[in-house]
Amino acid sequence: MYGFRSPRRENAVHDETVPESAVQNGSCVRNGNPKTPREKRKVREQCENIRRNSSSSRRVSQLQNGEVVEAVTLFEVVSMGKRAMQSVVDDWVEAYKQDRNVALLDLINFFIQCSGCQGMVTAEMFQSLHKKDVMRKMTETFDEETGLQYKKFMAYPWILTVTWPVDMDNEDYPLIRTGPYWKKFKANFCEFIAVLVQQCQCSILYDSYLMDTVISLLTGLADSMVRAFRHTSTLAAMKLLTAVVSVHLNLDVNKHNAQRLYEVEKKRISGKRTNYRLDQLERKRKEYEQKLLEIQNMMNAIFKGTFLNRYRDVIPEIRATCIEEIGSWIKTYPDAFLNDSYLKYIGWMLYDKQAEVRLKCLLGLQGIYSRKELVSRMDLFTSRFKDRIVSMPLDKDHEVAVQAMKLLMLMSQNCEDVLSAEECETLYQFVYTTHRPLAVAAGEFLYKSLLSHEGDEEVQPKGGGKFGASTDQLKRLIRFFLESELHKHVAYLIDSLWDWAGKFLKDWECMTALLLKNAEEDGEALSDAHESALIEIILATVREAAEGHPPVGRGAAKKILSVKEKKIQLEDCTKITEHFIMVLPQLLAKYSTDAQKVANLLQIPQYYDLGVYSTGHLEKHLDALLREVKDIVAKHSDMSVLEASSRTYYILCREEIAIYNQVDRARTQLIDELMRQLNQLLGGFWQKEEGFCMDAGEISRMHSALRRIAAFHNAHDLTKWNLYDKTLKLLVFEMEHGSLPVLMILPALQCTYFSLLWQLAEVSENSPKETLFALRRELRHFSQICMCFLHHKGKDVREKAFMILCDWLLILSHQDSNNNEEAVGLLDYLPNTSLQEKLLLFIQEHVFIEEEEESKDLTEEEERKEESCKLDDLHKKRSLLAAYCKLIVYNVVEMTAAAEIYKYYVKTYNDFGDIIKETLSRTRHNNKIQSAKTLILCLQQLFQTHAESQDSSNGVDFSSASFTNMKELARRFSLTFGWDQVKSRESVAMIHKEGIEFAFQGATGVDGKCLPPNLSFLLIISEFSNKLLKPDKRLVYAYLQRYIAEPLPCKGEEWQPLIWYRNSLLASEDEESSVLGSSGEWSPMGTSKMSSFKRKLSNGSLPETSQTEAASKAPDLQCASQLASAAGKSRKRLKSREMHLQEHLPFLCPGGLRRRYCKDEIKTEGVSEEGQAEDTIEDIDVDVVGADQDS
C-alpha cells in the first residue's frame, strides 16, 4: 500500500454526495457507514466511550479568559504545548494498542485540524466497496446543492471524506499564521511527528497498518487543490520521512552489530554443532533486514508519493519545505541519498523564482560541502551547477547572495581547483559592495583564500624580523588593493576584512615600521604606489577601530556598541594614540612633500585620546607634530592638505584639555605669519597702478596665500585680523574693473563669506543695534556682490558665487541668533522676485543646457581624460541643482519655482532624477496641496508650449514626441504617490480639479458646446485617475459634469480626450457601460446611474429624488448627491458623512451649492424637501492598498 496515490482527478464529475454521518471537528470521527438510525446511535455511543477513555489520560487544562479550557483532541494538546510531547505520544500509542481504528481516526482528524479545516471528516470502510468504486471516489470537487467543497480519497483501510466551506481558500491556516503562538505550534507539530515515529519504532511501526494509513492520508491530502491541505500534509510527510530516515540509520547500525556478533560467535564455535546463541543472532539479523526492507518501502512511498509532486508546487513555502528536508536527508544518510538522483532536485531549484527556495538550496549544499568526506562524491553535481552558484552572489535577495558566497568559500576550501583564478577575482570584488553582510562574507573568502596561508607564523620572509608574517599579509593586501582597478574604496575593503583580519589590521607598529624602512637598510622597501596604499589602509584601520561602525554608505545607521565592544574601542583608541603620537611626526617629515600622503596622515590625530599628551608627559612630541604641520602649511597650497592641517589645529585646540595653551600659541604664530605674507602681497598689489601689472609669479603667490587663509578661516575665527575689509576690497575692485584673475577671486570670495559667517555667529542677545545695523549692511552688500558675480565671465566664479549665494540665503532665512528676536528681524533676508528669477535662470543655463559633443579622433588616454572631465562637470551640476532645490524645500524661494525643475525629471532622470525626486518628496511633505499645484503647473506650462508649437487648425497631435513626453512625465509624477491612496487623496484630487479647470479654460459659445482649446489636457491628467479612491472618482466626475452642457455631441475625434478621461474615472464603476450612447451623444446621468449609486453606497449617502428631478437637475444635483460619498481618513472603512467630505476635500464642492448643517441632517438648496437625504453613519467599504509612499 505504500506506493498507492490517489488519482489526480480533482475535477472529475461524479454523483457522490456528502455522507450523512459527517461530524464536525472536535467531535468523534465516525468509522464505517451505518445505514439505520439505530446503527448510527450505536456507533456514536461506542466511539464516544472509547474516545473518553483514550483521551482522558492526555487532558490538558489551560486558563483562557478566566475560564479553564480542557484540551481533549490531539490538535488541542499539541497546539497548547503544555506537556512534554513524549507523554502525549505515549498516551496515543496506548490508545492505539487498545483500539487502533479509533486511535487512527483520531490521528487522521489531527492532521485535518492542523490544516485549519473548519469542516467535517467522515470515513467508510474500504472493504464495503469494489475497487472500481474506490477509484471513482478519489475526487475533489464542489457540490452545488450543499454549497460545500469535499474531497474523497483513500487512507487505507478507509475512504475518507473531508468536507469544508468554500471560503477555506482564504489562505489563513495554522502553518502560515504569524505570532509566537503559531510559530510554537509549527515546532510542536513537527516535534509530534518525530516523536511519534521514535516511540513507535520498536512496536507498532511495522504492523502494516499504522504507516499504511498515515502515508495514504498524507499522500491524498498533498494532492488537494486547497493550499492548506497541501502545505500541511507536505510538511508532515517530509518530517515523517526525516524521522523514518533516522530509524533506518539506527536499524542499519543494529544490523551491522548483529552481523558482527554473528560472525564472532560463528568463529568461536567453529567445528561444533549450531547452538542456541547462534540461532538467536541469525533470527535477530533477519529481523533487522526485514524491518529495513519495510522502512525502505516507506521511504520510497513518501518520496515518490509526496516529494516528487510537491517540490515543484506553485506555493513557494511548500517547495522550500521539500528542498530543506531533502538536504537534511542527504546529510543524515549520505549512503542512500548522496547521489545524483537526489542532488539534481536541489540543483534544479537553484533557479527557482522565489528567494526562500533558493536559500534552502544553498543552506542544504553548505551542509554537504562542509564535510570533506562527502565532497568527493559531488563531482558531477559541481561540474553541472557550479556556474549557477558562482553567479548567485549577484542575487537580488541579500540573504541568498550572502549564503551563496559562504557556499563558494566552502567549495574553494574543500574542493581542489573548483574555482578558476578569474572566478576568484570576481568574487573578491564583492568586498566593495554596499551590503555589509555580503561584503563581510566576501571578506572572509578573501582572507582565507588569499591573505591567510597556513604556515605564515612559522615561515617568515627573510629579514622580516618579528613582523615577518604580518608584513607578508600586508603586502598581499596592498597588492590586491592596487590590482582592483574598478574600486578604490579602501574603507570598504577594511570594513569587509575587519571581522576576520582584525589582528593584523590593528598591527599599526608593523605598518609604520614598513613605511619608515629605508631602502639602504633593506632592499624590500615599498614603492611609492605601495606606500600611498599602505597610508590609506592605516587611516582606514584607525577610523574603523576608533569609531566602531561601518563607513558611510554601508549600513543604515551607527550601531549601538555593547559593553565589551565599547571596552575594545577604548583600548584601541589608547593604543592608536600612544603609538602615533611618537610615530606621526616622523611620517610627516618623511612624506612632507607628497600632498596625498600628508593629507591622509593629518587625519589621524582626530582619533587621538588627547589626554594622553598630558598624562604621559609627551608634550615634546606635540611640539614636533606642530612644527611638522606648520612646515607642511608653508610648503603646500593644495586645498585638501590645507583643510587637513586646519582641522588638525581645530582638533588639538580645545579649551577643555591641558594642551590648549600650547596649541593656541602655535596656531596664533602660524596665522600671524600667514597674514603678514598676505598683507605684503596686497600692499604690493595696491601700490601698483590699478594693479594691472602682476606677473604669473605674483598671482600664484597671492592665490596660495588666500587659499591658506581661506582654509584656516573655515575652522577658526580670524575676525581680529580684520580679514573682511581686505578681501572685500578685492571683490569690489573686480566688480568695478573686472581685471582680477580667477585664481584670486575664488579664495577672496570664500574668505569674505567665512568672515561674515563668523560675525553672524557672534551675534548675541546683548548685541547693540549699531552692530546689528552694520552687519545688516554688510550682508546686503555681499549679497549684491554675489548676484553680480552670477554673470562673471569666468565659469568657476559664476558657480562659486551661486553656491555661496544659495547657502547664504538659506542661513539668513533660518537663523537663530541666540534667542535675540530683534537680531533675527534685522538680519533676516528673503530673496525678492528678481533674485529668484535670476537663480532659476542660472540653473536652466548652467545645469539643464546640453552641451554639443564634437566628434574627435582621440587617443585612449585623451578619451579617459575627457570622460573624467565630463564626470567632474556632472558632479558640479548636481551640486548646483541640489543647492537650489534646498532653497525650494526650505521655503526660501516659492515652491512654484520647482515647476521649472520638474520639467526635466524624465529627460535628465539618469543624471538628476534622484535630486528632483527627493525635492518632490520633501515639498509634498511640507505642503501637499501646494506641491500638487506645482505638479499640475509644470504640466500646464509644458502643454501650453506644446500647443503653441502646433498648427492651431489641426489641433493637438497626440502622437507627437512632445505630447508623448508629457504623458510619460505625468505617469512618473503619478508613480511618486505610491500605493497609499488615502495619504495622497487630497493631492491627487487637487491635481484633477486644477486640470479640469485648465482643460475647459477659454471655452466659448452660446450653448456651451464649443470645443475648449485645452481639452486635450484631460489626457494628461488621466494618468492620475488610478490614484483616486472610488468615492473621490465620483466626486471628480461630478466636478467634471459642471463644465459639460448636455446633450453634447461627441462624434468627432476632437472630443475623444473627454471620453477617455471620463472612462478613467468610471473604469471601476457600473457606469462604464454608459460612456458613449448609441446615438453618439454624451448621455446624462439618469435614473439607472442614480440607482447604481444607491446600490453601492449606504442608504444615507445619496439623496432620494424623483426620476424627473434626477434628469433635470444634473449636473448640480448629481454633484451634491456624490459629495456624500467621499471617503474619510480611515484606510479600511471610509465614512459617507458630508461634513467629513467638506473638511477634507472642500475644493471639489461646487461653488453654487451651499451647505447648511443642522445636527445630523444635511440640506441642499434647490432640492425638494422630499429629496433631502439624512446623513447616516453607515460605512462604505473601500479597498485601499496600504503601502509606504514611494516618493
Side-chain angles (χ1 to χ4, degrees):
M1 286 303 298
Y2 298 119
F4 175 79
R5 297 180 65 240
S6 60
R8 298 175 62 89
R9 296 176 55 200
E10 285 97 1
N11 297 322
V13 179
H14 59 89
D15 56 358
E16 293 296 326
T17 58
V18 181
E20 297 178 358
S21 57
V23 186
Q24 288 191 356
N25 283 345
S27 63
C28 178
V29 179
R30 292 184 290 198
N31 184 14
N33 190 20
K35 301 299 181 181
T36 64
R38 183 176 181 180
E39 290 175 341
K40 292 180 182 180
R41 184 168 58 254
K42 182 178 180 181
V43 170
R44 182 169 63 251
E45 291 173 353
Q46 293 175 351
C47 206
E48 289 174 352
N49 290 335
I50 297 173
R51 181 66 168 275
R52 281 193 294 269
N53 293 334
S54 63
S55 62
S56 59
S57 59
R58 64 164 186 269
R59 291 177 183 268
V60 178
S61 297
Q62 185 177 12
L63 190 63
Q64 195 175 59
N65 298 329
E67 298 180 0
V68 177
V69 178
E70 284 193 347
V72 177
T73 65
L74 274 176
F75 173 76
E76 292 168 347
V77 174
V78 171
S79 61
M80 288 180 181
K82 290 292 183 179
R83 295 183 59 189
M85 198 60 64
Q86 188 168 346
S87 62
V88 176
V89 173
D90 289 341
D91 292 344
W92 183 88
V93 171
E94 289 299 323
Y96 180 87
K97 291 178 179 179
Q98 295 178 13
D99 190 325
R100 64 182 188 180
N101 288 340
V102 174
L104 262 179
L105 287 170
D106 198 7
L107 184 63
I108 291 170
N109 201 34
F110 165 73
F111 286 116
I112 300 299
Q113 287 180 304
C114 288
S115 301
C117 180
Q118 302 300 320
M120 299 175 287
V121 182
T122 59
E124 49 191 327
M125 293 303 294
F126 166 60
Q127 291 84 348
S128 64
L129 297 170
H130 299 291
K131 186 174 182 180
K132 182 175 65 176
D133 297 330
V134 172
M135 299 305 295
R136 186 167 54 83
K137 283 177 176 290
M138 304 297 106
T139 57
E140 177 177 336
T141 188
F142 173 69
D143 191 332
E144 296 182 358
E145 295 181 2
T146 61
L148 299 174
Q149 199 163 350
Y150 66 95
K151 176 181 178 67
K152 290 192 175 186
F153 60 97
M154 171 71 73
Y156 186 84
W158 300 289
I159 295 176
L160 296 179
T161 302
V162 182
T163 311
W164 67 93
V166 178
D167 61 354
M168 186 180 167
D169 287 329
N170 59 1
E171 297 186 355
D172 181 24
Y173 52 95
L175 290 186
I176 63 171
R177 289 174 186 161
T178 57
Y181 177 83
W182 295 110
K183 287 183 179 179
K184 185 178 180 182
F185 166 79
K186 183 177 180 180
N188 291 340
F189 177 72
C190 298
E191 183 186 1
F192 173 80
I193 296 172
V195 175
L196 177 64
V197 174
Q198 181 183 0
Q199 295 300 103
C200 297
Q201 63 178 331
C202 298
S203 55
I204 60 177
L205 191 67
Y206 312 101
D207 65 352
S208 299
Y209 192 77
L210 170 64
M211 293 303 290
D212 282 10
T213 304
V214 173
I215 293 174
S216 298
L217 168 72
L218 298 179
T219 303
L221 288 177
D223 274 340
S224 174
M225 292 185 296
V226 179
R227 170 179 174 172
F229 289 149
R230 217 164 58 247
H231 189 183
T232 307
S233 60
T234 301
L235 175 62
M238 295 300 99
K239 292 297 181 181
L240 183 66
L241 181 50
T242 301
V244 170
V245 167
S246 299
V247 173
H248 191 286
L249 280 175
N250 294 334
L251 287 175
D252 201 32
V253 171
N254 294 335
K255 175 192 170 184
H256 285 294
N257 292 337
Q259 180 69 27
R260 290 177 58 190
L261 289 174
Y262 176 80
E263 292 174 355
V264 169
E265 186 69 20
K266 189 174 182 179
K267 289 180 181 180
R268 189 176 65 83
I269 62 172
S270 59
K272 300 181 181 179
R273 295 179 60 187
T274 304
N275 63 359
Y276 173 76
R277 172 67 175 168
L278 195 62
D279 293 339
Q280 187 181 25
L281 291 173
E282 177 67 15
R283 288 195 301 272
K284 197 71 172 175
R285 184 174 61 86
K286 291 182 178 180
E287 179 184 349
Y288 285 137
E289 290 178 352
Q290 181 63 30
K291 288 184 177 181
L292 281 171
L293 181 61
E294 292 187 27
I295 290 292
Q296 190 66 42
N297 290 335
M298 296 177 193
M299 291 165 56
N300 291 335
I302 299 174
F303 186 83
K304 294 178 181 178
T306 303
F307 179 89
L308 288 182
N309 292 306
R310 298 279 69 83
Y311 85 95
R312 293 177 298 178
D313 195 278
V314 70
I315 305 300
E317 290 90 343
I318 297 177
R319 301 198 301 271
T321 298
C322 293
I323 296 302
E324 180 181 16
E325 294 306 315
I326 195 174
S328 173
W329 307 333
I330 294 174
K331 287 182 290 185
T332 306
Y333 193 14
D335 292 339
F337 289 98
L338 187 55
N339 56 66
D340 298 322
S341 299
Y342 295 98
L343 286 171
K344 64 182 180 183
Y345 300 111
I346 298 181
W348 291 342
M349 301 312 288
L350 287 171
Y351 297 89
D352 195 274
K353 293 182 179 180
Q354 294 295 325
E356 180 185 2
V357 182
R358 300 194 299 273
L359 182 62
K360 296 299 183 182
C361 294
L362 293 172
L363 293 175
L365 291 174
Q366 286 179 18
I368 300 172
Y369 278 101
S370 62
R371 297 167 58 180
K372 289 188 176 182
E373 68 274 12
L374 302 181
V375 170
S376 59
R377 300 157 65 178
M378 298 283 292
D379 293 340
L380 183 59
F381 177 88
T382 302
S383 63
R384 170 65 179 82
F385 295 103
K386 185 193 74 171
D387 292 342
R388 170 58 181 162
I389 298 174
V390 170
S391 69
M392 292 186 76
L394 291 170
D395 196 282
K396 63 181 180 181
D397 185 84
H398 290 320
E399 186 61 26
V400 172
V402 171
Q403 298 305 327
M405 184 63 69
K406 292 182 178 180
L407 174 60
L408 288 166
M409 183 185 63
L410 292 173
M411 294 172 64
S412 177
Q413 290 175 346
N414 298 327
C415 303
E416 294 182 2
D417 302 327
V418 66
L419 297 176
S420 64
E422 293 78 9
E423 290 170 336
C424 289
E425 288 295 330
T426 302
L427 295 174
Y428 294 157
Q429 299 303 313
F430 281 94
V431 296
Y432 296 107
T433 185
T434 55
H435 183 60
R436 192 173 190 274
L438 177 58
V440 171
E444 181 184 7
F445 186 23
L446 172 64
Y447 178 70
K448 293 182 178 179
S449 302
L450 189 65
L451 302 180
S452 177
H453 292 305
E454 295 182 2
D456 272 346
E457 302 295 334
E458 293 80 10
V459 182
Q460 298 180 356
K462 185 178 180 180
K466 64 177 181 178
F467 303 124
S470 296
T471 300
D472 188 43
Q473 286 181 313
L474 278 173
K475 289 182 177 179
R476 289 199 295 269
L477 178 61
I478 294 169
R479 191 161 50 248
F480 167 77
F481 174 62
L482 293 176
E483 291 172 356
S484 302
E485 298 180 357
L486 297 177
H487 304 282
K488 297 300 179 185
H489 308 292
V490 68
Y492 278 23
L493 172 62
I494 296 304
D495 182 59
S496 302
L497 292 169
W498 195 254
D499 294 345
W500 310 105
K503 183 178 180 182
F504 94 85
L505 289 178
K506 293 181 182 179
D507 194 353
W508 295 294
E509 188 178 356
C510 171
M511 297 179 187
T512 53
L514 201 57
L515 287 173
L516 295 172
K517 187 183 297 183
N518 294 323
E520 292 78 10
E521 300 174 2
D522 195 331
E524 298 181 359
L526 300 176
S527 65
D528 182 69
H530 284 67
E531 287 177 338
S532 298
L534 181 54
I535 289 174
E536 290 186 46
I537 290 173
I538 290 174
L539 176 60
T541 55
V542 167
R543 189 209 65 80
E544 187 84 21
E547 295 183 352
H549 59 80
V552 176
R554 177 178 285 179
K558 295 182 180 180
K559 66 176 183 179
I560 301 176
L561 301 179
S562 63
V563 177
K564 182 179 180 181
E565 290 173 334
K566 191 68 176 178
K567 181 180 178 182
I568 295 175
Q569 182 187 22
L570 294 175
E571 292 175 353
D572 289 340
C573 285
T574 304
K575 183 180 177 182
I576 290 169
T577 306
E578 293 175 348
H579 177 71
F580 283 98
I581 276 180
M582 294 179 286
V583 174
L584 185 59
Q586 303 175 39
L587 293 173
L588 291 174
K590 180 176 181 179
Y591 300 109
S592 61
T593 58
D594 193 316
Q596 181 184 359
K597 295 185 179 70
V598 167
N600 287 325
L601 289 171
L602 284 174
Q603 295 183 49
I604 295 178
Q606 64 181 302
Y607 303 108
Y608 280 3
D609 179 8
L610 297 177
V612 175
Y613 272 115
S614 55
T615 57
H617 305 289
L618 301 173
E619 287 81 0
K620 62 177 182 178
H621 295 288
L622 177 61
D623 289 333
L625 175 63
L626 295 175
R627 283 196 304 270
E628 294 299 333
V629 175
K630 183 178 180 180
D631 292 341
I632 288 170
V633 172
K635 291 178 182 178
H636 292 274
S637 62
D638 183 84
M639 209 60 191
S640 62
V641 176
L642 296 176
E643 288 178 350
S645 303
S646 175
R647 181 170 179 79
T648 300
Y649 276 102
Y650 176 78
I651 294 296
L652 297 175
C653 200
R654 297 178 183 173
E655 295 184 2
E656 67 272 11
I657 58 177
I659 61 174
Y660 169 74
N661 293 329
Q662 184 179 355
V663 179
D664 186 50
R665 284 195 304 270
R667 180 182 61 175
T668 303
Q669 292 173 2
L670 174 60
I671 295 175
D672 283 339
E673 186 173 341
L674 294 177
M675 290 301 301
R676 186 165 54 252
Q677 294 175 2
L678 178 63
N679 290 332
Q680 291 175 357
L681 292 171
L682 288 175
F685 173 76
W686 295 121
Q687 287 177 3
K688 294 182 179 181
E689 184 179 355
E690 299 296 334
F692 290 117
C693 302
M694 293 184 67
D695 56 20
E698 291 176 334
I699 294 175
S700 177
R701 288 192 293 274
M702 180 75 76
H703 170 66
S704 299
L706 286 171
R707 283 169 69 92
R708 293 187 182 101
I709 294 296
F712 274 84
H713 207 358
N714 188 13
H716 308 273
D717 186 5
L718 308 185
T719 305
K720 64 180 181 180
W721 280 273
N722 196 22
L723 182 63
Y724 174 75
D725 294 337
K726 298 179 176 63
T727 55
L728 182 65
K729 188 176 180 180
L730 284 174
L731 298 179
V732 173
F733 179 84
E734 172 62 18
M735 287 178 62
E736 296 175 352
H737 299 88
S739 59
L740 288 182
V742 174
L743 293 177
M744 290 178 59
I745 300 173
L746 292 176
L749 195 61
Q750 195 76 48
C751 287
T752 309
Y753 173 55
F754 288 148
S755 297
L756 289 175
L757 285 181
W758 282 108
Q759 292 182 49
L760 195 62
E762 290 298 321
V763 173
S764 63
E765 187 175 356
N766 300 322
S767 298
K769 285 188 176 181
E770 294 77 9
T771 303
L772 296 178
F773 278 113
L775 180 57
R776 181 181 181 181
R777 287 193 299 270
E778 293 174 355
L779 298 179
R780 300 296 189 271
H781 189 197
F782 182 68
S783 299
Q784 293 296 325
I785 293 174
C786 291
M787 291 172 60
C788 179
F789 282 170
L790 290 178
H791 306 286
H792 196 273
K793 60 184 178 181
K795 180 182 177 183
D796 292 338
V797 176
R798 295 196 301 268
E799 293 177 350
K800 189 68 173 178
F802 181 84
M803 293 294 295
I804 289 178
L805 188 58
C806 288
D807 292 343
W808 190 235
L809 292 173
L810 191 63
I811 292 170
L812 293 180
S813 61
H814 290 79
Q815 58 179 314
D816 182 17
S817 302
N818 300 322
N819 299 321
N820 190 344
E821 296 182 0
E822 184 179 7
V824 172
L826 288 174
L827 302 179
D828 189 31
Y829 181 66
L830 289 174
N832 54 28
T833 305
S834 176
L835 178 54
Q836 293 187 33
E837 292 175 354
K838 290 180 180 180
L839 293 174
L840 179 57
L841 182 62
F842 185 91
I843 287 294
Q844 291 175 328
E845 292 179 351
H846 290 75
V847 176
F848 296 119
I849 295 296
E850 294 184 0
E851 299 179 359
E852 296 183 0
E853 296 184 3
E854 300 179 1
S855 57
K856 300 178 181 179
D857 294 332
L858 303 176
T859 62
E860 184 177 351
E861 183 66 24
E862 290 174 341
E863 288 181 355
R864 190 181 300 112
K865 289 183 179 179
E866 186 177 4
E867 288 296 326
S868 178
C869 291
K870 287 182 179 179
L871 188 60
D872 292 339
D873 188 53
L874 176 60
H875 288 165
K876 289 181 181 179
K877 289 182 177 181
R878 287 175 57 83
S879 299
L880 293 173
L881 180 60
Y884 181 73
C885 288
K886 283 193 293 185
L887 298 181
I888 298 174
V889 169
Y890 291 102
N891 299 318
V892 180
V893 300
E894 295 179 0
M895 192 182 295
T896 53
E900 293 293 334
I901 305 297
Y902 295 159
K903 292 177 183 179
Y904 301 94
Y905 180 51
V906 175
K907 187 177 181 180
T908 63
Y909 185 80
N910 292 334
D911 294 336
F912 311 115
D914 56 335
I915 299 175
I916 299 175
K917 188 176 181 180
E918 183 65 19
T919 304
L920 202 159
S921 174
R922 295 290 187 91
T923 54
R924 184 175 297 157
H925 178 74
N926 295 340
N927 191 325
K928 293 181 180 180
I929 299 300
Q930 190 61 34
S931 176
K933 290 183 176 181
T934 305
L935 288 182
I936 199 67
L937 176 63
C938 170
L939 296 173
Q940 289 171 359
Q941 292 175 353
L942 287 174
F943 183 84
Q944 288 175 337
T945 304
H946 169 76
E948 292 172 359
S949 64
Q950 298 289 319
D951 187 359
S952 58
S953 61
N954 297 331
V956 178
D957 183 8
F958 301 150
S959 61
S960 63
S962 58
F963 193 85
T964 305
N965 292 338
M966 272 191 293
K967 280 186 65 68
E968 175 62 18
L969 181 61
R971 188 185 70 85
R972 294 287 190 93
F973 286 161
S974 175
L975 292 176
T976 61
F977 288 104
W979 292 102
D980 196 337
Q981 294 174 299
V982 174
K983 182 183 294 185
S984 60
R985 64 182 303 233
E986 297 177 9
S987 302
V988 177
M990 176 58 70
I991 288 175
H992 282 274
K993 173 184 177 295
E994 296 286 331
I996 292 172
E997 292 177 356
F998 177 77
F1000 289 95
Q1001 187 178 6
T1004 58
V1006 179
D1007 55 357
K1009 298 182 180 180
C1010 183
L1011 180 71
N1014 300 332
L1015 189 67
S1016 302
F1017 191 72
L1018 294 177
L1019 285 178
I1020 305 298
I1021 63 173
S1022 65
E1023 296 290 340
F1024 298 90
S1025 296
N1026 62 338
K1027 296 299 179 182
L1028 284 169
L1029 294 171
K1030 291 180 182 180
D1032 293 346
K1033 285 186 178 182
R1034 303 188 191 110
L1035 262 180
V1036 173
Y1037 172 77
Y1039 194 78
L1040 176 67
Q1041 290 287 83
R1042 297 178 58 203
Y1043 293 90
I1044 301 172
E1046 298 179 359
L1048 184 65
C1050 301
K1051 294 181 179 180
E1053 292 186 0
E1054 64 274 9
W1055 290 99
Q1056 285 302 313
L1058 183 58
I1059 306 300
W1060 291 336
Y1061 180 57
R1062 188 172 183 270
N1063 273 340
S1064 68
L1065 295 176
L1066 304 179
S1068 59
E1069 305 290 341
D1070 293 341
E1071 300 90 340
E1072 185 177 3
S1073 60
S1074 63
V1075 170
L1076 198 60
S1078 58
S1079 61
E1081 296 183 350
W1082 190 281
S1083 57
M1085 182 187 289
T1087 310
S1088 61
K1089 195 167 296 182
M1090 293 291 288
S1091 61
S1092 68
F1093 278 163
K1094 293 178 183 179
R1095 288 194 303 269
K1096 288 175 179 277
L1097 302 179
S1098 56
N1099 293 333
S1101 61
L1102 287 171
E1104 298 178 1
T1105 60
S1106 63
Q1107 296 182 8
T1108 56
E1109 287 176 329
S1112 62
K1113 295 189 176 291
D1116 286 345
L1117 178 57
Q1118 294 157 14
C1119 182
S1121 66
Q1122 292 174 74
L1123 283 172
S1125 65
K1129 283 191 174 180
S1130 172
R1131 296 175 183 266
K1132 294 183 178 179
R1133 297 184 61 84
L1134 306 175
K1135 294 190 176 182
S1136 62
R1137 301 180 65 91
E1138 285 271 3
M1139 295 178 66
H1140 200 66
L1141 170 65
Q1142 288 272 346
E1143 178 184 354
H1144 291 282
L1145 297 179
F1147 47 79
L1148 281 180
C1149 297
L1153 296 177
R1154 294 293 182 266
R1155 303 292 183 180
R1156 295 198 300 270
Y1157 298 96
C1158 180
K1159 295 183 180 180
D1160 293 331
E1161 186 174 309
I1162 300 177
K1163 297 184 179 180
T1164 305
E1165 294 182 6
V1167 181
S1168 61
E1169 195 170 315
E1170 293 82 359
Q1172 294 174 353
E1174 295 182 357
D1175 186 22
T1176 65
I1177 59 173
E1178 292 189 27
D1179 294 344
I1180 307 171
D1181 288 332
V1182 179
D1183 296 329
V1184 177
V1185 180
D1188 292 337
Q1189 185 171 337
D1190 181 20
S1191 56

